[in-house]
Amino acid sequence: MKTDSVLVIIPAYNEEDSLAKTIEKVKQYLPNTEVIVINDGSIDRTAEICHALKINVLSLPFNCGVGAALRTGLVYGINNKFRHMLILDADGQHPAKEARKLLLKATDQNIVLGVREFMNYDFSRIRRIAHKLLIRALSVRSNISITDPTSGFRVFSLIAAKKLFSQIESEYLADTVGILQRAKTMEIEVLEVPVSMEPRLDGVASNRGYKLAKRYILSLLVLFIGRIDS
Amino acid sequence: MRYQYLFIVFFLIFSAFTVLDFRRRRISGEYFLAANSISGVAITFLANENLLIKVSNILGITLPSNLAMFSISILGLVLSYAINKELRALANKVALLAQEIALLKNGK
């Protein structure tokens, strides 16, 4: 896989603590890729860090949510005709060294999803149950069998990105679970590749506790009663 | 002073605020109409004590206060639903605009 046609998209919201380390790792393991950080209205030094590291940054004027940040990155990739777009979390949970596994499986049509084995991670009991429910709901409602539907570690082909970008909403795990549903209705192939993920390098997740529970509940509702336009 | 007069004064002050805000284009015409229609109906019922009782009897509701509560709940739900729909549509447009601003500022 040639990496010079790969765009690495890093959506970031107040990730000054971990962003520099994440970018360093990308430069180390994926040296010929273009990196773009989507600064989702951060109020910390996220944008400054990108400028200091001479990394291209697209700054949304205010916090629009990860879905909007992802959409912005994909539009940039589509406009600049990158063959593949790799999405990485800014908090360092998606190791750049694992990205090659995803890129090796990427074709001109598909989406490749880096999946973690949940049993190996220190997630709370409630989160595990919510996750299992989500997997079950996806299977029942959309006939999709995915081990880790909330994984944000993905590679989009240019064709898949073109088909999907306008459908990405800003909320309720729409950037992950919602995309899988839409990919299924549009007959875009989704491949799973097992990867190991790492704990956050620094800082705290913006979605945790009550907010995370709310997102899972709303996602389940959207999965069951939401309309999917193809 | 009877409680009705307090509510009538409240609705009149509320209506006055909506008129001021509508004149300054701070609220939509639809909201202005809806809020003032509701205020008008409320003032009519508050000013005519027997009217609420008569309407309750016609509708078969034993307690007039129940009719008032049901009506307020339904109106509140409909109004919040309409406002939420409008807000959601606006939020989507704003997110798209934000995306375009980010891309334009970057020049690509």
Side-chain angles (χ1 to χ4, degrees):
Chain A
M1 160 59 64
K2 278 171 69 183
T3 52
D4 53 2
S5 59
V6 175
L7 172 69
V8 180
I9 300 169
I10 307 177
Y13 175 58
N14 291 343
E15 294 286 1
E16 63 178 3
D17 296 330
S18 53
L19 187 61
K21 287 178 205 162
T22 304
I23 292 170
E24 262 174 46
K25 297 263 182 195
V26 173
K27 283 182 173 174
Q28 184 186 344
Y29 291 103
L30 302 163
N32 298 320
T33 54
E34 181 175 334
V35 181
I36 188 148
V37 173
I38 315 298
N39 174 26
D40 187 12
S42 300
I43 49 168
D44 64 357
R45 292 175 53 251
T46 296
E48 286 170 44
I49 289 167
C50 295
H51 294 311
L53 293 170
K54 295 192 171 59
I55 291 292
N56 208 355
V57 59
L58 291 177
S59 285
L60 293 166
F62 44 82
N63 183 241
C64 295
V66 67
L70 175 63
R71 197 170 55 212
T72 308
L74 291 180
V75 170
Y76 178 89
I78 292 165
N79 289 348
N80 291 282
K81 297 186 173 60
F82 282 93
R83 202 170 152 213
H84 293 107
M85 289 153 236
L86 167 71
I87 321 296
L88 284 184
D89 273 4
D91 57 17
Q93 287 192 70
H94 300 156
K97 64 179 175 193
E98 294 283 291
R100 281 193 172 271
K101 290 184 190 171
L102 272 63
L103 289 167
L104 280 171
K105 295 276 182 188
T107 67
D108 285 340
Q109 308 275 340
N110 67 1
I111 296 173
V112 184
L113 194 64
V115 295
R116 52 208 152 156
E117 177 50 67
F118 251 61
M119 299 314 287
N120 298 337
Y121 290 85
D122 186 24
F123 288 126
S124 66
R125 194 183 159 88
I126 292 172
R127 193 167 173 190
R128 271 179 213 280
I129 293 168
H131 200 80
K132 278 181 184 167
L133 271 174
L134 209 57
I135 292 168
R136 186 84 189 120
L138 260 175
S139 161
V140 170
R141 177 76 165 89
S142 301
N143 197 21
I144 299 170
S145 172
I146 297 278
T147 328
D148 184 10
T150 58
S151 169
F153 193 17
R154 289 159 293 176
V155 174
F156 285 85
S157 66
L158 179 61
I159 291 171
K162 274 183 181 172
K163 284 182 182 172
L164 284 168
F165 84 92
S166 64
Q167 311 267 335
I168 304 170
E169 292 172 61
S170 305
E171 48 194 5
Y172 316 145
L173 302 175
D175 59 304
T176 52
V177 180
I179 283 181
L180 294 175
Q181 261 196 312
R182 293 190 194 283
K184 175 80 179 178
T185 55
M186 290 177 178
E187 292 174 350
I188 297 168
E189 184 191 26
V190 179
L191 274 182
E192 287 188 283
V193 174
V195 289
S196 61
M197 293 196 198
E198 289 171 5
R200 287 183 67 88
L201 288 169
D202 259 308
V204 286
S206 51
N207 276 306
R208 60 189 191 281
Y210 157 74
K211 262 177 107 175
L212 189 66
K214 190 180 82 178
R215 276 172 78 101
Y216 269 105
I217 291 166
L218 289 172
S219 300
L220 281 166
L221 275 174
V222 170
L223 264 177
F224 276 110
I225 59 176
R227 207 179 80 177
I228 312 154
D229 300 316
S230 56
Chain B
M1 196 185 216
R2 296 177 65 183
Y3 79 96
Q4 284 100 321
Y5 297 120
L6 279 174
F7 282 108
I8 289 172
V9 170
F10 166 79
F11 280 115
L12 286 173
I13 292 171
F14 176 73
S15 290
F17 272 107
T18 61
V19 171
L20 284 176
D21 280 340
F22 181 61
R23 277 161 61 94
R24 290 171 189 161
R25 304 286 185 273
R26 283 182 187 161
I27 55 171
S28 70
E30 288 86 350
Y31 180 79
F32 173 74
L33 277 177
N36 280 288
S37 305
I38 294 166
S39 295
V41 172
I43 289 169
T44 309
F45 277 113
L46 285 165
N48 302 286
E49 276 180 61
N50 293 328
L51 193 61
L52 189 63
I53 298 165
K54 277 179 193 167
V55 175
S56 302
N57 285 337
I58 292 166
L59 293 173
I61 296 169
T62 325
L63 283 174
S65 57
N66 280 352
L67 174 65
M69 284 304 291
F70 288 146
S71 311
I72 290 165
S73 312
I74 291 166
L75 283 171
L77 267 177
V78 172
L79 209 59
S80 62
Y81 176 75
I83 291 170
N84 191 273
K85 256 181 97 170
E86 209 165 310
L87 272 177
R88 179 64 201 251
L90 278 173
N92 286 342
K93 284 182 194 168
V94 168
L96 271 178
L97 270 174
Q99 171 190 313
E100 291 303 318
I101 289 169
L103 288 162
L104 280 172
K105 270 168 75 178
N106 186 271
K108 286 188 183 178

